[in-house]
Amino acid sequence: MSILAEHGTTLLALACIFGFFMAWGVGANDVANAMGTSVGSKVLTIKQAIIIAIIFEFAGAYLAGGSVTETIRKGIIDPNMSELVASPELLVYGMLAALLAAGFWLLIATHYGWPVSTTHSIVGAIVGFAAVAISPDAVNWLKVASIAASWIISPVVSGILAFLVFTSVQKLILNTETPFVNAKKYVPYYMLIVGFVISMVTLTKGLKHIGLPLTDMDSVLLALLIGSILMLIAKYALSKVVEDVNADKKFYFSSVEKVFGVMMIFTACAMAFAHGSNDVANAVGPLAAINSIIVTGGKITGQTAMPSWILLLGAVGIVIGLATYGYKVIATIGTHITELTPSRGFAAELSASSTVVIASGTGLPISTTHTLVGAVLGVGMARGIGALDMKVISKIFMSWLITLPAGAIFAIVFFNILKAVFG
């Protein structure tokens, strides 16, 4: 307790620096979930994608990033362990080490263009210091196992959905005698699905944190209303679209792809908002835990109020990470796995966001990164295995496998350094 009293200000300052570093890593690596397919399908340039993501990621992180959050991330650590109650500074050291370790791993992964899970990075780091520095009994191993299971669940579910969605686009629109006419006929219904799904992402993953008293049925009805409005907007917008015969001579589906391109701008904005509101917790959750322990003089609780300055720090970190280094992973997801057109990118984004909604409703642990990569793979599979770059895919899968142990190893090293310095 005397350690917290003596070094509390220094520890909190370090927590802010490490939390900002972790948020930077989230922005640099994870924002490609929202922007990669839009850039790869050439609907947006990287510069345009960064501008859109800066606005909507910041808005999502700051406005809907969480009034109350689980500060002991994902329920991995038991805050009532006798070791923690007797020495609360151990948890402070551990959370500091976890933030620094996860941020360091994200820096390495982003440098090589690997789209890894920020959730798994921070989870691996927390498991590492808790199991080694406190006790293996301090870790909820069933929770860790369920998170590890999402390595398979996330990409498989989203991949299957993307395969089905793009196959339906092929049968209803692309592989018909009049693809442009059918695009104008069926795209409004896809827009209904897009509006419903993205609204559900935002309502279930983001806006619930700001205290809106919405039941599940309220969310469904509101999402249906938004989807219906977007369908009407789509019908009106498509009535103004004229088939470009000259462009279609160069590329048969040129006019059709323009229709899907318009929708992808919307899905990119909405996904960025939902992502910012959800994944900022990976950076600010441990920071909020450290702040709570220091402010209360060593009292450890499972939940605590989220100060607005912490959300602001996380939001700014995400934006700077995206603007300075986000192009690396955007290029991997958008161009290196498989060639994306607006219709393919749309199928991937719709499927990935649908998977997030399904997971939210059923309580399945899920990674937004794994989800989108799986969706892009599903679109590629719909075109045949030859459309996929297997070398890039093997590197991505390998980076997924080593994320948890990498975070754990870094956290153990940093924990022991911090303990030696302050202990």
Side-chain angles (χ1 to χ4, degrees), residues 32 36 42 45 76 100 120 122 187 202 210 218 240 294 314 329 337 382:
K42 296 181 175 61
T45 65
I76 293 169
L100 187 56
H120 289 186
I122 194 70
V187 159
T202 305
I210 64 175
D218 290 335
K240 305 292 184 181
I294 292 174
V329 180
I337 296 175

Side-chain angles (χ1 to χ4, degrees), residues 3-5 7-20 22 69-73 77 88-101 122 126 129 281-307 309-310 313 415 418 422:
I3 293 176
L4 293 180
H7 300 293
T9 303
T10 303
L11 290 168
L12 186 56
L14 285 175
C16 291
I17 295 170
F18 295 171
F20 182 86
M22 172 62 181
T69 187
E70 288 187 14
T71 56
I72 314 301
R73 282 292 295 155
I77 300 176
E89 68 272 8
L90 291 178
L91 187 58
V92 174
Y93 300 154
M95 288 297 179
L96 281 170
L99 284 172
L100 187 56
I122 194 70
I126 293 175
F129 92 78
N282 288 330
V284 301
L287 173 55
I290 295 168
N291 178 67
S292 174
I293 293 168
I294 292 174
V295 169
T296 58
K299 184 179 179 182
I300 299 175
T301 57
Q303 291 188 333
T304 186
M306 175 67 75
W309 67 267
I310 290 181
L313 184 143
F415 176 86
L418 288 166
F422 291 99

Side-chain angles (χ1 to χ4, degrees), residues 366-390:
I366 205 161
S367 161
T368 50
T369 301
H370 296 190
T371 301
L372 192 85
V373 171
V376 173
L377 289 175
V379 169
M381 288 295 291
R383 299 170 56 221
I385 192 70
L388 300 173
D389 189 328
M390 300 309 295

Side-chain angles (χ1 to χ4, degrees), residues 197-402:
V197 169
I198 299 300
S199 298
M200 285 297 291
V201 170
T202 305
L203 293 169
T204 58
K205 299 290 279 184
L207 295 182
K208 65 178 182 179
H209 296 303
I210 64 175
L212 286 178
L214 293 177
T215 63
D216 290 341
M217 184 54 66
D218 290 335
S219 297
V220 170
L221 292 175
L222 184 57
L224 278 173
L225 176 62
I226 294 172
S228 299
I229 292 172
L230 285 172
M231 182 176 71
L232 294 176
I233 293 174
K235 283 188 175 182
Y236 174 76
L238 290 180
S239 67
K240 305 292 184 181
V241 176
V242 179
E243 190 171 8
D244 190 337
V245 178
N246 291 328
D248 288 344
K249 288 179 181 178
K250 296 179 181 178
F251 174 52
Y252 185 61
F253 298 115
S254 180
S255 298
V256 175
E257 294 294 355
K258 286 181 182 178
V259 174
F260 283 103
V262 173
M263 286 199 299
M264 282 199 70
I265 295 174
F266 168 77
T267 57
C269 295
M271 281 291 287
F273 182 90
H275 175 265
S277 67
N278 183 51
D279 276 25
V280 71
N282 288 330
V284 301
L287 173 55
I290 295 168
N291 178 67
S292 174
I293 293 168
I294 292 174
V295 169
T296 58
K299 184 179 179 182
I300 299 175
T301 57
Q303 291 188 333
T304 186
M306 175 67 75
S308 58
W309 67 267
I310 290 181
L311 275 178
L312 180 60
L313 184 143
V316 171
I318 285 178
V319 164
I320 293 178
L322 167 68
T324 56
Y325 218 40
Y327 65 90
K328 287 265 189 177
V329 180
I330 283 177
T332 297
I333 288 184
T335 61
H336 295 169
I337 296 175
T338 189
E339 183 185 356
L340 289 177
T341 61
S343 58
R344 297 167 195 163
F346 160 75
E349 276 191 357
L350 174 58
S351 304
S353 55
S354 299
T355 305
V356 172
V357 171
I358 294 168
S360 301
T362 58
L364 283 173
I366 205 161
S367 161
T368 50
T369 301
H370 296 190
T371 301
L372 192 85
V373 171
V376 173
L377 289 175
V379 169
M381 288 295 291
R383 299 170 56 221
I385 192 70
L388 300 173
D389 189 328
M390 300 309 295
K391 287 185 179 180
V392 172
I393 293 168
S394 64
K395 288 180 181 178
I396 291 173
F397 284 171
M398 187 59 66
S399 71
W400 289 0
L401 289 175
I402 63 178

Side-chain angles (χ1 to χ4, degrees), residues 76-77 94 125-139 141 411-412 415:
I76 293 169
I77 300 176
I126 293 175
V127 168
F129 92 78
V132 173
I134 303 172
S135 165
D137 295 332
V139 179
W141 293 107
I412 292 167
F415 176 86

